[in-house]
Amino acid sequence: MFLTPGVRRQLAAAVTCSLCCLITELMVGWAAPSLKKLREPDSPVHLTRHQEAWVVNAMYYGNIVSPLPSGFLINLIGRKTTLLIVAVLPTMGWVLIYFSTSATMLMVARFLYGLWTGVIMTTLPIYTGEISEPHVRGVFGSFFQICNSVGSNLSFLVAPYVSIQTMAVLCGSVPIMFIILFSQCPESPYYYVMKKRPDAAARSLSWLRGGKPVSEELQVIQTSVANEEKRGSRCINLSVPATRKAFVIVVTMNILQRLSGISFMKAFSSVVMPRVGILSPDHCTIIMGVVWTVSSFICTALIDRAGRKPLLYASSLGIFVSMLWTSAWFYLNDKTDVDVSHLSWLPLAGVLVYGCTFSFGLGPITKLYPGEMFPSDVKGQAAALTVMIAAFSSSVSTGLAPILNENFGVYSNFLIFSLIGLINLLFTYFCVVETKGKSLQLIQAQLRGERLDEIRDSDASEKHA
């Protein structure tokens, strides 16, 4: 990736908005070490196992509520303004955690974070997709996964060794930093075009392209938005084949991603992982976080070279195999008389392979696709519905985990995750569309089944504008 002035500015905007994922994952990763800490006798809050599940899932319930309103909000007041306004929610959440004296306060804090998460998961793929040139869009989209991994890793590294109050202060400062930095970034030029503000769109696009002439690219955006508006109102119409195809692909990928075990791992890893030699479950969780963070950079290096589908194939296969052997170890350890204590490293190895393959494939690409595949006129609503469905899938995954553990054993969760990996492998092969190096206009033409060579000239104009 050649760092032209325009790419550097797009990089700055993409990295800054990706801090939203860091903010979210600090709370997601907080659960694993903190639930264990809340079980200690001197904890200021004591939770039953049932209350623990409610605290974990409160975030996903908030995640279900907020996406649809945010889908309308980003088209009403803009992508940037929406993110800046709702950044107050995570700050309020950490304030509640700092002063928490009951399970209810923790649930409310997690619920507020869920509201924030629903908004940013709806908005970030759209904003990043709309400000980026095609040849760097995949790289910028992969920053979401990097920030996710860094956020979780910081929680795994810091939370076990500081008080809950200290963790709240440290994490509560990150949203404030985001507000200061992101206020300097431009609004999406697509939003300005949708609002019939061509001068503002030109200024935004000129900043993002490093001062290069943008008249041709702006014309492409205006034509694309005008054509999408002619095809119908700004409501999701699944009778339109292209919209239906995009919606099915994106939603199915999000469901499979959440059911593949990522929510379970982040919430319960420290309480289900066995001790591995001198390594406690907390140490295993920290190692897991470090490996996941490093592997996130693999996606950044490969996503615009290898393409989306090859990475999804490798990711799905890795999840299938790693979770299968992890399930087998827990089954033999918990349900049979076979002594597998000398193989206690196998679950850790399985989780590490899972996290590595998830982080360079299914994790980041699923977040990238909503911004690439939905038409701009319905992008907000379609992305919002996708996030709601994904959040519900996460709540199902984490909500069923204690039930499956009690009635069947821990192995049953990992077996399900393995099967999901296999299903995603087949779904990617038969249904997923490759978007590497294609403009947003070219992707829509592909979804409509149009002859791609008819619009390659306009695509080339956008790349060189």
Side-chain angles (χ1 to χ4, degrees):
M1 180 176 65
F2 184 66
L3 289 179
T4 64
V7 170
R8 285 199 296 268
R9 290 185 177 183
Q10 295 166 55
L11 175 64
V15 170
T16 302
C17 73
S18 295
L19 288 175
C20 293
C21 296
L22 175 65
I23 294 169
T24 296
E25 289 301 314
L26 286 171
M27 174 60 83
V28 174
W30 171 89
S34 296
L35 286 181
K36 186 175 182 180
K37 187 172 295 186
L38 290 170
R39 294 179 179 181
E40 296 175 356
D42 59 345
S43 170
V45 182
H46 294 283
L47 305 178
T48 66
R49 296 296 183 268
H50 180 69
Q51 287 174 328
E52 285 183 357
W54 272 98
V55 168
V56 170
N57 273 336
M59 186 169 180
Y60 301 117
Y61 299 146
N63 205 338
I64 293 172
V65 172
S66 62
L68 196 56
S70 68
F72 289 97
L73 196 61
I74 61 176
N75 285 337
L76 180 64
I77 65 174
R79 287 76 161 125
K80 173 184 173 180
T81 305
T82 298
L83 289 174
L84 290 175
I85 290 174
V86 300
V88 67
L89 295 175
T91 305
M92 293 170 58
W94 287 115
V95 169
L96 280 173
I97 288 178
Y98 182 89
F99 292 105
S100 61
T101 56
S102 66
T104 301
M105 293 181 71
L106 293 176
M107 292 176 196
V108 172
R110 296 270 298 181
F111 182 79
L112 290 175
Y113 245 92
L115 295 178
W116 154 260
T117 303
V119 175
I120 67 110
M121 291 181 66
T122 302
T123 309
L124 285 191
I126 297 173
Y127 179 81
T128 303
E130 291 178 347
I131 68 169
S132 306
E133 294 176 272
H135 66 286
V136 294
R137 191 176 60 240
V139 172
F140 293 165
S142 68
F143 292 163
F144 301 157
Q145 187 61 38
I146 292 175
C147 285
N148 282 347
S149 298
V150 170
S152 295
N153 201 25
L154 287 174
S155 288
F156 296 157
L157 285 169
V158 177
Y161 306 107
V162 300
S163 67
I164 290 177
Q165 289 74 20
T166 300
M167 190 67 179
V169 171
L170 294 174
C171 295
S173 64
V174 182
I176 298 173
M177 179 178 66
F178 164 74
I179 293 172
I180 295 171
L181 294 176
F182 192 59
S183 63
Q184 307 303 311
C185 296
E187 178 58 87
S188 162
Y190 278 80
Y191 167 74
Y192 285 134
V193 170
M194 292 168 60
K195 291 298 183 180
K196 314 301 181 186
R197 298 174 59 186
D199 291 342
R203 288 193 298 271
S204 172
L205 200 57
S206 178
W207 188 92
L208 290 164
R209 301 300 179 256
K212 293 195 307 182
V214 296
S215 56
E216 291 184 15
E217 184 176 0
L218 181 59
Q219 181 60 49
V220 171
I221 295 174
Q222 289 173 323
T223 301
S224 175
V225 171
N227 289 339
E228 288 166 1
E229 289 176 344
K230 288 178 182 177
R231 281 190 284 269
S233 63
R234 292 179 181 176
C235 295
I236 302 174
N237 184 359
L238 295 182
S239 65
V240 177
T243 303
R244 181 173 62 249
K245 185 174 183 179
F247 190 76
V248 169
I249 291 173
V250 174
V251 167
T252 303
M253 286 183 64
N254 272 270
I255 292 174
L256 294 175
Q257 185 215 52
R258 298 304 182 89
L259 294 182
S260 72
I262 188 63
S263 301
F264 173 89
M265 302 286 187
K266 291 179 178 179
F268 298 109
S269 58
S270 67
V271 295
V272 300
M273 290 294 294
R275 188 177 187 89
V276 183
I278 62 173
L279 298 177
S280 69
D282 279 338
H283 294 144
C284 293
T285 301
I286 291 171
I287 294 172
M288 178 182 76
V290 172
V291 171
W292 289 15
T293 300
V294 173
S295 62
S296 299
F297 290 92
I298 299 175
C299 181
T300 302
L302 296 179
I303 191 168
D304 279 326
R305 298 180 182 180
R308 282 54 158 164
K309 292 187 71 169
L311 292 179
L312 286 171
Y313 291 144
S315 179
S316 302
L317 185 61
I319 292 171
F320 168 65
V321 174
S322 63
M323 292 293 92
L324 187 61
W325 87 55
T326 303
S327 174
W329 186 92
F330 275 103
Y331 178 81
L332 293 174
N333 185 69
D334 299 341
K335 299 296 181 180
T336 72
D337 295 329
V338 178
D339 183 13
V340 291
S341 58
H342 61 293
L343 297 174
S344 60
W345 56 269
L346 275 176
L348 176 60
V351 170
L352 294 181
V353 172
Y354 166 90
C356 181
T357 54
F358 179 92
S359 296
F360 70 67
L362 189 58
I365 294 173
T366 300
K367 294 182 178 70
L368 178 65
Y369 264 22
E372 290 189 322
M373 298 190 67
F374 291 137
S376 60
D377 57 331
V378 300
K379 194 173 285 187
Q381 290 73 41
L385 284 175
T386 301
V387 172
M388 292 171 67
I389 294 170
F392 177 77
S393 302
S394 287
S395 68
V396 169
S397 178
T398 55
L400 285 178
I403 299 174
L404 291 173
N405 290 347
E406 183 177 348
N407 291 279
F408 300 99
V410 176
Y411 81 92
S412 59
N413 284 287
F414 294 103
L415 181 59
I416 292 173
F417 304 153
S418 176
L419 293 175
I420 294 297
L422 180 60
I423 293 171
N424 193 71
L425 180 67
L426 298 174
F427 180 77
T428 299
Y429 180 80
F430 289 107
C431 301
V432 173
V433 173
E434 180 60 73
T435 61
K436 182 188 76 169
K438 297 173 182 174
S439 69
L440 301 182
Q441 293 75 33
L442 192 61
I443 294 169
Q444 288 305 308
Q446 183 179 4
L447 290 169
R448 292 193 296 269
E450 297 178 4
R451 290 175 56 86
L452 300 186
D453 55 354
E454 294 178 356
I455 64 168
R456 287 193 186 276
D457 289 340
S458 63
D459 183 48
S461 297
E462 181 184 349
K463 288 183 179 181
H464 294 94

